[in-house]
DNA sequence: GTCGTTGCAAAGCGTTTGCAGCCTA
DNA sequence: TAGGCTGCAAACGCTTTGCAACGAC
């Protein structure tokens, strides 16, 4: 836990391109989307580098994983308030929800200890529900 | 949709063992768990057969998929009332919850139409939280 | 110059598929 | 019998890892 512990991480061109991709997208991305977006500012970027950087960025808390049923894992910028996601079945986009649930613990059976939860809403987003 | 449409499906030893595994487990299973449980009544069972039968049982509506973030897809008996799941972080097992949420619609922003939702609780199950 | 990082390719892992033989109906 | 079903193994898609060269500090 000393200063020397994090002396390792280097600021490479590739990592800068990957971070820029997430900042420019403003929505959860999967590794392949990251590769395509980041390749715009650094062609020759390899998918392995994308995966390795995503893992590092997760570990240093810059990214968080967004797991959607039936989809490959997406990632988004961390540091946001606790929130959930809305998946539009029409356009496929994922949106953030501000709302959360009170008292999730009481949804579990007696003896079960709740330490976290995920909530995902499906439906039509504003653009898709008001044609 | 005629009678001849479903004339294909045969009641093999393997399929019986797989169905029995789901009925005996009473909780969502992943393909590997199905293999292990069903192998008890039919050793020599192959994983490919498990996958093929799961797919058939899904298509005929006997099973439903349970997709858990960070986990391989699990499957459970279909036809149950609407419910959610609890994932034990200690033993990895998945359990069913009877409870649900009231008014999920109001968690979405104005203009968003909610047609479905998923809820997943994480924590320790009864066996793992009371050592 | 060091040593973390990169790109490539091969390896892993879960899932699917091709095929010859098996077994239910 | 006929044709769906099975087990094996190879193929697949996504993700991780080994390795030698590269480049940030």
């Amino acid at each position: 836990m000393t200063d020397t512990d994090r002396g390792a991480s280097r600021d490479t061109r590739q990592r800068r391109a990957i971070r820029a991709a997430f900042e420019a997208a403003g929505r959860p991305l999967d590794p392949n989307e990251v590769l395509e977006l980041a390749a715009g500012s650094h062609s020759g970027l390899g998918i392995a580098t994308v995966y390795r950087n995503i893992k590092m960025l997760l570990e240093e808390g810059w990214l968080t994983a967004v797991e959607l049923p039936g989809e490959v894992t997406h990632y988004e910028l961390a540091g946001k308030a606790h929130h959930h996601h809305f998946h539009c079945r029409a356009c496929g986009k994922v949106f953030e929800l501000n709302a959360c649930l009170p008292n999730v613990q009481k949804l579990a059976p007696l003896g079960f200890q709740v330490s976290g939860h995920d909530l995902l809403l499906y439906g039509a987003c504003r653009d898709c529900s008001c044609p």
Side-chain angles (χ1 to χ4, degrees), chain A residues 1-130:
Chain A
M1 303 302 180
T2 68
D3 281 351
T4 56
D5 283 345
R6 57 110 197 78
S9 208
R10 287 179 182 175
D11 187 30
T12 63
R13 208 167 313 153
Q14 293 86 340
R15 190 165 308 162
R16 254 176 277 133
I18 289 168
R19 273 197 288 242
F22 279 106
E23 287 168 336
R27 64 184 177 83
L29 300 176
D30 66 40
N32 219 48
E33 289 177 315
V34 175
L35 177 65
E36 291 170 6
L37 290 171
S41 55
H42 180 97
S43 51
L45 180 62
I47 188 65
T49 298
V50 172
Y51 277 103
R52 277 187 284 232
N53 273 282
I54 285 175
K55 181 168 286 186
M56 289 184 221
L57 292 168
L58 279 173
E59 284 168 359
E60 63 186 59
W62 196 84
L63 282 179
T64 54
V66 179
E67 318 239 23
L68 302 167
E71 302 272 317
V72 300
T73 305
H74 288 56
Y75 302 89
E76 65 180 0
L77 293 181
K80 305 186 176 188
H82 174 78
H83 64 279
H84 297 293
H85 295 96
F86 181 100
H87 185 205
C88 178
R89 282 173 159 148
C91 66
K93 282 184 190 150
V94 179
F95 300 86
E96 293 183 8
L97 298 177
N98 299 318
C100 189
L101 309 167
N103 301 321
V104 285
Q105 171 71 61
K106 70 182 180 190
L107 295 175
L110 279 175
F112 282 60
Q113 205 62 40
V114 178
S115 63
H117 68 279
D118 271 328
L119 173 66
L120 181 60
L121 301 191
Y122 300 95
C125 69
R126 190 169 358 231
D127 289 345
C128 294
S129 63
C130 299

